[in-house]
Amino acid sequence: MATKVLVVDDSSFFRRRVSEIVNQDDDLEVVGVAVNGQEAIDMAEKLKPQVITMDIEMPVMDGITAVRKIMATNPTPIMMFSSLTHDGAKATLDALDAGALDFLPKRFEDIASKKEEAIKLLQLRVKTLGRRRLYKPLPRTVTARNAADAANPASLRTTLASKPALNNRSQANNSQASSAQNVCSASAIRASGKKYKALLIGTSTGGPVALQKVLTAFPANYPHPILLIQHMPAAFTPAFASRLNSLCQITVKEAQNGDVLQPGCAYLAPGGMQLMVERSGSFGRLKVIAGNAEMNYKPSVDITFASASKVFGGDVLAVVLTGMGADGREGARMLKAAGATIWAQDEASCVVYGMPQAVTVAGLSTHSIAIDSMAESIIKETARG
């Protein structure tokens, strides 16, 4: 059965364009279109779509407000369309905070250089979100510990369920991943006593919210430098780094060429570039380069992980969070060969269980950890300076 999609945009041209692309895929079906946020709320209630594509700036009600209200009443996977500007980046991050799961540039030429590739990627992202189910949490007593989550519709994302696999290959991969997973809570993690020199975190779809959840729990005196590789356009990474820095006790900045790594500082790989590590002093120095134009991902988790393996050897904890595809697997393989520790996010708490599944099925990850337990687990494991 085709995934039901609601298209929301105040531009008749863009509504028609997105609807045509979605309907070209036999596994997708546009069941309705809306011209503003209020219509989106009403149609989400009436049509029960499995995915919503949402514009940000619209009359009557903007997309961010609509996302927040939909997530509170009819939780639905939502993909935002955004302009690649500083203001567009900030608005997109606000939408992800409100509960949206993914985003794409509104100009299709910014999605991929070839029109056919852009169309296929849009269809794939919509189908991927369509395999998720979001549920409103059961009513609960609000305590000091959970008050922030109770007030935040984005917390609805933590209750996820997958549809059955679409084909035999998917079923086989899911079966392998399930058998390979060693799902751990933070209380079950026992610190190995290993001494570390750096923490590396790679992620893609769902990563902005996951990174925020992890990094905001770190103390200001966290003893290691942190490298963050998030698949994100170049226009978005400065705004994302600034947002994280305003929310975290540690320092978060967009990485710059020549940065000397410092403990308690997280360096976000710039969009459209590759982030590498060079030997220099106690912690190393960053090298930011354009890299090979043929690379699928810029920044690439594989490239940063591989670079770190040559500088830090096994003195690394590398964590692969939610994301589509398998970026990070080969870099994790190099880190593992050097003696590094690899962890993955568990399937249940991922927006897309692609990248973590890749390292888990390959036998590279020793633990699969829910995102709510990830920060505590990392702090416990890497506490030794």
Side-chain angles (χ1 to χ4, degrees):
M1 184 177 294
T3 297
K4 298 187 295 183
V5 182
L6 172 63
V7 176
V8 185
D9 200 288
D10 62 326
S11 163
S12 59
F13 170 77
F14 198 75
R15 289 197 306 273
R16 184 171 63 252
R17 191 180 189 192
V18 172
S19 296
E20 288 173 352
I21 290 173
V22 170
N23 283 328
Q24 285 174 17
D25 193 304
D26 292 340
D27 294 323
L28 300 172
E29 177 189 6
V30 174
V31 294
V33 295
V35 302
N36 59 60
Q38 184 58 56
E39 280 193 14
I41 294 170
D42 297 339
M43 297 186 80
E45 171 67 32
K46 178 182 177 181
L47 300 175
K48 305 297 184 190
Q50 292 160 278
V51 180
I52 299 173
T53 69
M54 182 83 72
D55 189 21
I56 292 177
E57 295 183 5
M58 295 180 289
V60 182
M61 182 185 291
D62 64 88
I64 298 169
T65 303
V67 168
R68 190 173 290 111
K69 290 180 178 292
I70 289 170
M71 293 304 292
T73 56
N74 292 288
T76 307
I78 299 174
M79 182 170 70
M80 307 302 296
F81 280 106
S82 170
S83 60
L84 291 185
T85 64
H86 180 72
D87 288 343
K90 291 179 65 177
T92 302
L93 293 169
D94 286 340
L96 294 173
D97 261 357
L101 295 188
D102 198 5
F103 66 92
L104 279 174
K106 195 160 188 177
R107 291 195 339 150
F108 281 23
E109 49 266 48
D110 291 327
I111 298 176
S113 57
K114 296 180 181 178
K115 180 181 177 181
E116 296 77 12
E117 292 177 2
I119 289 172
K120 288 180 180 179
L121 181 58
L122 191 160
Q123 293 169 337
L124 175 61
R125 299 277 274 267
V126 172
K127 284 191 287 188
T128 299
L129 292 187
R131 293 197 291 271
R132 310 307 296 176
R133 290 292 178 268
L134 308 185
Y135 302 100
K136 287 188 288 186
L138 295 172
R140 59 181 180 174
T141 302
V142 178
T143 66
R145 184 172 182 176
N146 65 30
D149 284 344
N152 181 8
S155 65
L156 295 172
R157 274 176 297 224
T158 60
T159 306
L160 299 170
S162 296
K163 285 171 68 175
L166 294 180
N167 52 48
N168 291 336
R169 184 176 180 181
S170 300
Q171 279 184 326
N173 286 342
N174 288 344
S175 176
Q176 282 182 294
S178 296
S179 61
Q181 279 195 71
N182 176 21
V183 181
C184 300
S185 64
S187 60
I189 296 289
R190 292 187 177 182
S192 66
K194 180 177 179 179
K195 294 190 70 173
Y196 290 93
K197 291 182 179 178
L199 169 65
L200 314 180
I201 305 178
T203 184
S204 182
T205 310
V209 172
L211 285 174
Q212 181 173 311
K213 182 178 283 289
V214 171
L215 296 177
T216 51
F218 281 26
N221 63 347
Y222 183 75
H224 309 291
I226 306 163
L227 303 187
L228 309 174
I229 310 94
Q230 161 75 57
H231 294 167
M232 186 173 272
F236 281 40
T237 45
F240 185 40
S242 177
R243 174 180 294 244
L244 288 175
N245 189 58
S246 70
L247 296 171
C248 295
Q249 296 181 66
I250 61 170
T251 300
V252 182
K253 69 186 296 285
E254 186 180 43
Q256 294 181 308
N257 190 52
D259 277 346
V260 176
L261 296 179
Q262 299 293 334
C265 184
Y267 303 84
L268 179 68
M273 305 294 282
Q274 300 295 0
L275 181 64
M276 304 179 73
V277 188
E278 297 179 315
R279 296 185 187 279
S280 177
S282 300
F283 294 103
R285 182 174 57 198
L286 295 180
K287 184 177 181 180
V288 177
I289 61 173
N292 189 333
E294 300 302 314
M295 288 292 297
N296 287 333
Y297 304 109
K298 297 178 74 173
S300 164
V301 182
D302 276 332
I303 285 181
T304 304
F305 279 16
S307 171
S309 72
K310 298 174 182 177
V311 174
F312 300 122
D315 300 331
V316 168
L317 173 60
V319 180
V320 179
L321 300 181
T322 174
M324 188 181 299
D327 187 27
R329 179 181 57 198
E330 298 312 310
R333 198 185 303 278
M334 294 180 67
L335 281 167
K336 186 83 169 182
T341 302
I342 315 295
W343 288 354
Q345 186 176 344
D346 76 326
E347 181 176 8
S349 67
C350 282
V351 172
V352 179
Y353 189 57
M355 291 164 56
Q357 180 184 25
V359 296
T360 300
V361 170
L364 302 173
S365 171
T366 56
H367 297 303
S368 290
I369 302 171
I371 196 63
D372 285 342
S373 299
M374 188 63 77
E376 184 180 348
S377 301
I378 291 172
I379 292 168
K380 183 187 296 186
E381 171 64 17
T382 61
R384 294 185 65 188

